[in-house]
Amino acid sequence: FRPTVVLSYGLDWLLWGTAYAFGLPVSNIWLHFVNSILVGILLCRLVGRGWPAMWGAVLFAGLAAHAECIWYIAGRTDSLAAFGFLAAFVLHLDGKRYGALPLFAFGPLTKELVIVAPVVLACYDRWGACRKIDWKLFGTYGILAALILLLKQAALGGQGSDFVHPYLIAPLSSEFPNHLWLQFRSYTGNLLAAEVTVPFSDAATVKQLNPYWVPMVGISVFLTITWQLRKEGSYWLPLAFGFLSW
């Protein structure tokens, strides 16, 4: 249940008309461009204006893996969800924290992983900005998140999503650790070697597409970056978001 994605297709139909097939990837390009600008603004707020913020936005824009959000039409789901999170984060940093609530709601209605965004914002307030947590604000976030989940359940008739194995595996399942490892191999292959993400991949497909050296390089890069930035409070925030989303 992702109504904002369906709505975006409808808007494309109104905008492009008979050139609909041509317009879909063009709209995806513009959406990725807007997200890249938001990443630049966010980095300026977190680390200050200068080359690091600019190059961070450029790297985000040019990352090979993000090409899937353009040529793979349904990949706009990730771009739209990123827009909701990034825009809400920017407003939160600019002091318009209640103004970020509608943008947060946009996120989970696009892709469910954005539901963890309030946790990231609360972590920023507590350890990044070193200020007291506004429990009224984050209580509102919690109510909004609960309403979105209830809406999702109602729209699906209370049955939940019918995911194909092994796309979703219960955390308490004995298969879950291996599932996480296969996800990690798939994601590192996507990010570092520009491998195409194959939906509903089984273990054999992941192993065929992603050789063992790719996750080893990914782990080495992650540990190196973490060691270099271990004293930077702003580094742990996106790391927490990535971990919670995963």
Side-chain angles (χ1 to χ4, degrees):
F1 177 67
R2 293 170 175 175
T4 54
V5 181
V6 178
L7 178 62
S8 75
Y9 294 142
L11 292 175
D12 267 326
W13 179 259
L14 292 175
L15 178 63
W16 297 103
T18 56
Y20 183 62
F22 168 80
L24 285 169
V26 173
S27 295
N28 284 2
I29 291 172
W30 277 107
L31 181 57
H32 182 58
F33 174 76
V34 170
N35 282 342
S36 300
I37 297 297
L38 285 172
V39 168
I41 295 172
L42 182 61
L43 289 174
C44 283
R45 300 293 190 274
L46 291 174
V47 301
R49 297 186 179 187
W51 288 104
M54 189 194 77
W55 281 114
V58 169
L59 288 173
F60 176 88
L63 188 65
H66 289 166
E68 285 192 22
C69 295
I70 296 173
W71 63 259
Y72 178 46
I73 302 303
R76 72 168 53 180
T77 301
D78 295 318
S79 296
L80 286 168
F83 170 78
F85 171 72
L86 292 169
F89 204 163
V90 168
L91 285 181
H92 189 83
L93 294 182
D94 285 348
K96 302 171 184 177
R97 296 192 286 174
Y98 282 90
L101 287 166
L103 289 165
F104 161 70
F106 180 88
L109 289 173
T110 304
K111 195 165 187 176
E112 295 74 17
L113 63 84
V114 186
I115 208 80
V116 304
V119 178
V120 178
L121 298 179
C123 289
Y124 170 80
D125 283 354
R126 180 63 183 86
W127 291 290
C130 296
R131 62 188 176 203
K132 292 183 178 179
I133 293 177
D134 184 345
W135 293 108
K136 181 181 177 182
L137 171 66
F138 289 102
T140 305
Y141 270 114
I143 293 171
L144 193 55
L147 290 174
I148 291 171
L149 293 176
L150 288 173
L151 177 62
K152 177 182 173 68
Q153 282 295 98
L156 295 172
Q159 297 301 313
S161 300
D162 185 17
F163 288 105
V164 178
H165 183 85
Y167 191 74
L168 183 67
I169 295 178
L172 297 180
S173 168
S174 59
E175 301 178 45
F176 191 68
N178 187 55
H179 174 63
L180 288 182
W181 169 243
L182 292 176
Q183 273 196 328
F184 179 75
R185 289 186 65 174
S186 180
Y187 290 161
T188 52
N190 183 258
L191 291 170
L192 300 178
E195 295 283 357
V196 175
T197 303
V198 180
F200 311 118
S201 301
D202 56 17
T205 304
V206 172
K207 289 178 181 178
Q208 182 180 2
L209 290 174
N210 307 110
Y212 272 106
W213 67 266
V214 175
M216 294 301 103
V217 171
I219 292 172
S220 300
V221 170
F222 170 73
L223 292 177
T224 301
I225 292 174
T226 300
W227 176 256
Q228 293 291 331
L229 300 178
R230 65 189 185 280
K231 295 182 180 180
E232 295 289 337
S234 56
Y235 167 71
W236 297 100
L237 199 63
L239 182 64
F241 178 69
F243 180 76
L244 288 168
S245 302
W246 185 33

